[in-house]
């Protein structure tokens, strides 16, 4: 039996790998990460081991690819705001497997909203608006101004300043809030008549 099995293994004809299974794409900032399961029966390639995997995402000028020897594989250089799907092929010495196709995802850039306030301001009897806010994006570090909204900013106590940016077709949004203290007004003593 062992002799027959060895003879079979030595005379198998090498073939291309089976396709990968459960290929799934996850979007990032200008990139997509693809997870997958290796072919269920790598030994079924006739003794020709898998040497690597190729992932291709997008079409036309937005098409990018990456290679690797295991899952996951990340494809970079993709345009934010443009939906893509990806294909995965396994390769051995004979050739490539059939393509496995992922779900469609949209890479998006990130944003950061920042609110800046003094630690405290003095009570004046009017609504106090001492704060500023701005946002930056992952591809534009120059701060862009935002409108600040306030709560509890008239009387002595703790006030809150907030700002948000909803994002756009290529970036996710963000928000931020900061508290500051409204302290009692200073009292200036005046000399009395004598």
């Amino acid at each position: 039996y062992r002799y027959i099995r060895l003879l079979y293994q030595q005379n198998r004809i090498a073939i291309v790998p089976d396709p990968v299974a459960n290929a799934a794409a996850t979007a990032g900032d200008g990139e997509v990460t693809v997870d997958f399961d290796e072919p269920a029966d790598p030994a079924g390639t006739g003794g020709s081991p898998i040497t690597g995997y190729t992932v291709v995402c997008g079409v036309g000028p937005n098409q990018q690819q990456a290679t690797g020897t295991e899952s996951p594989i990340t494809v970079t250089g993709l345009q934010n705001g443009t939906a893509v799907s990806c294909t995965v092929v396994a390769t051995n010495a004979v050739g490539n497997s059939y393509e496995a196709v992922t779900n469609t995802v949209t890479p998006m850039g990130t944003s950061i909203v920042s609110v800046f306030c003094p630690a405290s301001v003095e009570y004046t009897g009017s609504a106090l608006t001492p704060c500023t806010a701005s946002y930056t994006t992952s591809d534009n570090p120059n701060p862009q101004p935002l409108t600040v909204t306030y709560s509890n900013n008239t009387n002595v106590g703790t006030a809150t300043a907030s700002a948000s940016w909803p994002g756009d077709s290529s970036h996710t949004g963000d928000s931020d809030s900061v508290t500051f203290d409204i302290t009692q007004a200073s009292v200036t003593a005046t000399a009395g008549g004598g």
Side-chain angles (χ1 to χ4, degrees):
Y1 170 78
R2 292 180 61 186
Y3 172 75
I4 295 174
R5 182 175 176 81
L6 179 62
L7 187 65
Y8 166 74
Q9 290 176 337
Q10 290 176 339
N11 288 277
R12 283 186 301 171
I13 298 174
I15 59 175
V16 298
D18 289 333
V20 305
N22 301 318
T26 303
D29 183 0
E31 65 184 32
V32 170
T33 297
V34 177
D35 291 273
F36 54 87
D37 297 332
E38 71 173 16
D41 184 19
T45 59
S48 179
I50 293 172
T51 56
Y53 302 90
T54 301
V55 177
V56 179
C57 298
V59 295
N62 192 42
Q63 186 179 89
Q64 302 291 340
Q65 73 174 45
T67 58
T69 57
E70 61 184 2
S71 172
I73 295 174
T74 299
V75 178
T76 61
L78 296 167
Q79 172 137 9
N80 285 329
T82 299
V84 297
S85 61
C86 306
T87 60
V88 187
V89 297
T91 302
N92 65 7
V94 179
N96 295 329
S97 69
Y98 287 112
E99 295 179 344
V101 182
T102 71
N103 51 304
T104 298
V105 295
T106 303
M108 295 289 282
T110 57
S111 65
I112 298 176
V113 170
S114 300
V115 178
F116 304 94
C117 298
S120 63
V121 292
E122 191 173 282
Y123 171 80
T124 64
S126 300
L128 297 167
T129 57
C131 305
T132 60
S134 62
Y135 74 92
T136 59
T137 62
S138 53
D139 54 0
N140 182 9
N142 298 317
Q144 305 299 311
L146 289 171
T147 300
V148 181
T149 58
Y150 294 89
S151 61
N152 304 318
N153 63 324
T154 301
N155 299 314
V156 171
T158 301
T160 301
S162 304
S164 62
W165 186 62
D168 58 21
S169 62
S170 300
H171 304 88
T172 57
D174 191 34
S175 61
D176 188 27
S177 63
V178 173
T179 60
F180 61 94
D181 292 329
I182 300 176
T183 60
Q184 291 182 343
S186 302
V187 176
T188 303
T190 57

